[in-house]
Amino acid sequence: MSDRAFSIEHYQWSGGREAMLRFGLTTGAVVLLAMPLFEEANRTRALIVTMLRALAEHGIGAALPDLPGTGESLVPTEAARLEDWRAAFAAAEEQVTRGGGRVHIASLRGGALVDTRANCAGRWHFAPVAGAALVRDLMRARQASAREAGEPFDPAAIAPGGPPVELAGNLLAPELIDELKGAVPTAAAPLRTVRLLTEAAAADHKIAARPLWRRAEPENNPALARELAADLAAWVKTCGG
């Protein structure tokens, strides 16, 4: 087995080359994780890295790919599209598999909208959310900031073919917003869904914790990261390791 504590790789997809962080083992069971989208990714990154490092204690490797227009990607944010994210994530899975990994997918929040094309032994979703709900959150935040600044903002004016719009500090294409409105997490089995106790939606397991993606600043919760890693590791083993 190949065992590296931490490394940076790159993967190729049809639109270019993106970075991918690797944690621990690169062969055998490897979790490929889809990050939350937009500002939620920044707020949860420390939690996610802590969780993926904790997976090593269970003998499971992990990979965390940047998607086009996110992280260190050279693709402009306003050029990002949901279909490109899905294609890139699937390409990352193919590279991990070629390297000897048996891929299991983990997705947090809006990441569950991205993992739909990738092949895997099983999926694990934490607090998955529909694209329409993400768009509503983005619009509410933009409306609040516009009111505070005394600027006009009309969500109804955002339409495919129009100029990029600034939402949550990102310039996003109307086409991406339109794609997200109709996007939902995959329900393809085998799938385990974990949620917070405060979420009303159904889940296989619920955890008592604060939603870090709602915090004003990025935070970490090592205890939550370890709890999530243990639940994910058990699911990986259920799906054949």
Side-chain angles (χ1 to χ4, degrees):
M1 289 186 177
S2 177
D3 185 357
R4 296 175 292 178
F6 173 79
S7 65
I8 301 175
E9 293 184 359
H10 291 84
Y11 70 94
Q12 294 287 148
W13 70 289
S14 61
R17 182 173 182 261
E18 304 293 348
M20 179 163 60
L21 303 184
R22 300 299 300 266
F23 302 82
L25 297 170
T26 59
T27 58
V30 176
V31 167
L32 180 68
L33 189 138
M35 292 275 288
L37 304 180
F38 312 122
E39 190 58 29
E40 291 189 2
N42 297 328
R43 294 170 183 156
T44 59
R45 190 174 186 86
L47 172 74
I48 288 168
V49 169
T50 303
M51 182 181 80
L52 297 184
R53 289 185 185 280
L55 279 177
E57 299 174 12
H58 299 273
I60 299 170
L64 182 62
D66 277 349
L67 298 177
T70 74
E72 301 301 317
S73 175
L74 297 180
V75 175
T77 305
E78 58 266 33
R81 299 291 186 274
L82 179 58
E83 287 305 304
D84 287 344
W85 287 344
R86 289 172 170 170
F89 191 80
E93 175 272 315
E94 291 171 0
Q95 177 163 312
V96 173
T97 298
R98 286 195 301 270
R102 189 166 54 256
V103 173
H104 301 258
I105 288 174
S107 300
L108 277 70
R109 297 284 293 162
L113 307 174
V114 172
D115 71 26
T116 57
R117 289 189 189 174
N119 295 316
C120 62
R123 283 183 170 82
W124 181 93
H125 288 169
F126 178 49
V129 62
L134 286 179
V135 171
R136 285 195 298 271
D137 285 349
L138 290 171
M139 295 302 177
R140 279 196 293 264
R142 182 67 177 87
Q143 285 175 314
S145 63
R147 282 195 300 270
E148 186 175 333
E151 299 172 351
F153 176 72
D154 181 10
I158 301 173
V165 58
E166 184 176 347
L167 297 171
N170 296 296
L171 273 179
L172 305 180
E175 289 79 6
L176 172 60
I177 297 168
D178 196 55
E179 286 179 306
L180 287 171
K181 287 178 181 178
V184 295
T186 181
L191 168 67
R192 179 172 173 82
T193 300
V194 178
R195 294 188 181 276
L196 299 179
L197 279 173
T198 51
E199 294 184 80
D204 298 297
H205 179 57
K206 291 200 173 184
I207 291 175
R210 295 179 303 169
L212 295 187
W213 52 88
R214 299 291 188 192
R215 308 298 291 176
E217 298 292 336
E219 292 184 19
N220 197 0
N221 184 334
L224 174 61
R226 289 191 295 272
E227 186 174 1
L228 293 174
D231 190 272
L232 175 52
W235 180 243
V236 167
K237 291 170 184 175
T238 297
C239 295

